[in-house]
Amino acid sequence: MKKNISFFVFLSIAFSALYFLRDTDLKELISDTSKQRVYIKRNNDVDFMPDWTNEELLLKINIARESAGLSKLKKNTKLDKSAKARLAVILSEDDIDGSITGLSVEKALNNADYDANLVGELILTGFFKSNDPIAYWNSDMTAEETLTHPDFVDLGIAIKNSADKVEIYVLLVSPRKIVKQVIVPKITWGGIELWEAINKRRVEMGVNPLKQTGELCTIASIRLNQLLELGKLDGHAGFVPVLERSDLKWISEKYTISEYLIQGYPTPIEAVKAWENTLGHRSLLAGGEYVWGCVYAQNSFGVAVAAY
């Protein structure tokens, strides 16, 4: 009987304790437990990394080039447009060479109105920002040769950032050199025009005009053909051998003959001025002792023979 009474007393005390904790300690206990929850980072969760910029990538590229003894590359806004267009089709259409969309490197450059002589590409897709792009490119022979090619001058950069990865397209270019075409005036003057210019200047300088004679024209004609075949002036090296030819020696015995050569002048007047401004040739224009003469000229080569 006493055991039963003790059991009922225990139950009574237990229910009283639970009733007391119903609105106080039990609530606080549950609340304290919830505050101690710990957030566990899943393996595929990543921290946000700063965006890569064109300027930072350009600096890395130029440091690599300078360390290889090469010149820096210059950023070009036209090439930036080409690079952005190429990166867009690579990412959206997986069109590396432009065969799907038609936007090849050449087409992208043409759209940007850039005339290129040599073109190179550096491409990174799904590249983790924690990695080094220069080290990656240097590990590939083709990419390294592109990065360190000495002929490149300009570049364009396109970058697309995500939380931890980056997509990159770099266009390296050497511009086509525009060679200015030198228009050489067509030589239209010949012996007649040069003969007239010589005699006109002789009269202006107060001496007699030369009189043409056939035997002197023979010598002038032979000498002009020699120079045309040689393609340059010979410094009078062929003059004396012509005078000493057996069939022409009588001419040099009849006259005292001088030879004057010219080449490369666009007009006969300029050729005459060149003779006048050269001490050894001025006598053709100012030498009053000369009475006879003849001139042959072709393709800017001129031979004048004067005699007395």
Side-chain angles (χ1 to χ4, degrees), residues 54 75-92 103 108 156-160 168-171:
N54 289 15
K75 196 167 180 292
N76 184 286
T77 55
K78 290 183 177 181
L79 295 180
D80 282 346
K81 294 178 181 178
S82 298
K84 289 177 181 178
R86 288 282 295 133
L87 181 61
V89 298
I90 290 172
L91 296 180
S92 63
L103 191 64
I157 299 176
I159 298 178
K160 182 181 179 182
I168 293 174
Y169 182 92
V170 181
L171 188 59

Side-chain angles (χ1 to χ4, degrees), residues 156-283:
I157 299 176
I159 298 178
K160 182 181 179 182
N161 287 280
S162 59
D164 62 328
K165 295 181 180 179
V166 64
E167 326 285 342
I168 293 174
Y169 182 92
V170 181
L171 188 59
L172 305 93
V173 181
S174 65
R176 190 179 303 279
K177 295 180 180 179
I178 300 175
V179 179
K180 293 184 178 179
Q181 184 177 5
V182 178
I183 301 175
V184 179
K186 185 177 180 180
I187 305 300
T188 59
W189 56 274
I192 295 175
E193 292 82 7
L194 187 56
W195 173 257
E196 291 175 350
I198 289 171
N199 275 334
K200 180 175 182 295
R201 189 57 182 149
R202 281 179 63 86
V203 172
E204 290 172 349
M205 297 185 75
V207 297
N208 58 288
L210 298 175
K211 297 177 182 179
Q212 185 171 288
T213 179
E215 51 260 47
L216 295 181
C217 286
T218 299
I219 295 173
S221 174
I222 293 172
R223 288 290 290 136
L224 177 64
N225 287 330
Q226 289 178 343
L227 298 180
L228 291 173
E229 184 177 350
L230 185 63
K232 62 180 181 179
L233 301 182
D234 65 357
H236 307 287
F239 180 52
V240 173
V242 170
L243 295 182
E244 291 180 348
R245 275 175 42 171
S246 58
D247 58 332
L248 300 176
K249 194 172 183 179
W250 67 272
I251 301 175
S252 61
E253 292 174 349
K254 180 179 178 181
Y255 300 99
T256 298
I257 307 172
S258 297
E259 178 186 64
Y260 303 87
L261 306 179
I262 202 74
Q263 190 264 328
Y265 291 91
T267 67
I269 293 177
E270 290 178 81
V272 169
K273 285 183 178 179
W275 272 326
E276 184 177 343
N277 293 327
T278 306
L279 185 61
H281 298 100
R282 184 180 174 85
S283 59

Side-chain angles (χ1 to χ4, degrees), residues 12-308:
S12 176
I13 293 171
F15 278 117
S16 297
L18 287 173
Y19 180 80
F20 176 76
L21 290 172
R22 184 181 61 185
D23 295 323
T24 56
D25 295 349
L26 186 60
K27 291 181 179 180
E28 291 178 5
L29 178 63
I30 295 173
S31 177
D32 288 341
T33 303
S34 67
K35 289 179 182 179
Q36 294 174 16
R37 288 181 298 179
V38 177
Y39 174 75
I40 300 175
K41 190 176 180 180
R42 297 193 303 272
N43 290 335
N44 60 348
D45 288 333
V46 294
D47 291 331
F48 176 81
M49 299 185 70
D51 287 347
W52 286 18
T53 66
N54 289 15
E55 290 70 22
E56 290 170 343
L57 184 57
L58 174 61
L59 180 60
K60 290 177 183 289
I61 291 172
N62 278 335
I63 289 174
R65 287 181 63 85
E66 285 186 307
S67 66
L70 302 171
S71 60
K72 292 181 178 180
L73 300 179
K74 296 180 293 182
K75 196 167 180 292
N76 184 286
T77 55
K78 290 183 177 181
L79 295 180
D80 282 346
K81 294 178 181 178
S82 298
K84 289 177 181 178
R86 288 282 295 133
L87 181 61
V89 298
I90 290 172
L91 296 180
S92 63
E93 304 293 338
D94 194 27
D95 191 12
I96 300 294
D97 59 1
S99 60
I100 300 173
T101 62
L103 191 64
S104 62
V105 178
E106 294 77 12
K107 181 65 174 177
L109 288 170
N110 186 59
N111 290 345
D113 193 28
Y114 189 102
D115 192 9
N117 180 53
L118 183 66
V119 182
E121 300 174 291
L122 294 172
I123 304 173
L124 293 175
T125 56
F127 192 76
F128 283 99
K129 292 180 178 178
S130 56
N131 294 332
D132 180 8
I134 303 301
Y136 179 84
W137 286 326
N138 282 336
S139 67
D140 179 83
M141 185 174 66
T142 301
E144 182 185 20
E145 289 177 353
T146 300
L147 179 66
T148 58
H149 198 291
D151 291 347
F152 289 137
V153 176
D154 298 327
L155 90 167
I157 299 176
I159 298 178
K160 182 181 179 182
N161 287 280
S162 59
D164 62 328
K165 295 181 180 179
V166 64
E167 326 285 342
I168 293 174
Y169 182 92
V170 181
L171 188 59
L172 305 93
V173 181
S174 65
R176 190 179 303 279
K177 295 180 180 179
I178 300 175
V179 179
K180 293 184 178 179
Q181 184 177 5
V182 178
I183 301 175
V184 179
K186 185 177 180 180
I187 305 300
T188 59
W189 56 274
I192 295 175
E193 292 82 7
L194 187 56
W195 173 257
E196 291 175 350
I198 289 171
N199 275 334
K200 180 175 182 295
R201 189 57 182 149
R202 281 179 63 86
V203 172
E204 290 172 349
M205 297 185 75
V207 297
N208 58 288
L210 298 175
K211 297 177 182 179
Q212 185 171 288
T213 179
E215 51 260 47
L216 295 181
C217 286
T218 299
I219 295 173
S221 174
I222 293 172
R223 288 290 290 136
L224 177 64
N225 287 330
Q226 289 178 343
L227 298 180
L228 291 173
E229 184 177 350
L230 185 63
K232 62 180 181 179
L233 301 182
D234 65 357
H236 307 287
F239 180 52
V240 173
V242 170
L243 295 182
E244 291 180 348
R245 275 175 42 171
S246 58
D247 58 332
L248 300 176
K249 194 172 183 179
W250 67 272
I251 301 175
S252 61
E253 292 174 349
K254 180 179 178 181
Y255 300 99
T256 298
I257 307 172
S258 297
E259 178 186 64
Y260 303 87
L261 306 179
I262 202 74
Q263 190 264 328
Y265 291 91
T267 67
I269 293 177
E270 290 178 81
V272 169
K273 285 183 178 179
W275 272 326
E276 184 177 343
N277 293 327
T278 306
L279 185 61
H281 298 100
R282 184 180 174 85
S283 59
L284 172 63
L285 308 170
E289 70 274 19
Y290 292 117
V291 178
W292 311 98
C294 188
V295 172
Y296 266 71
Q298 184 180 332
N299 297 339
S300 85
F301 283 88
V303 176
V305 176
Y308 58 86

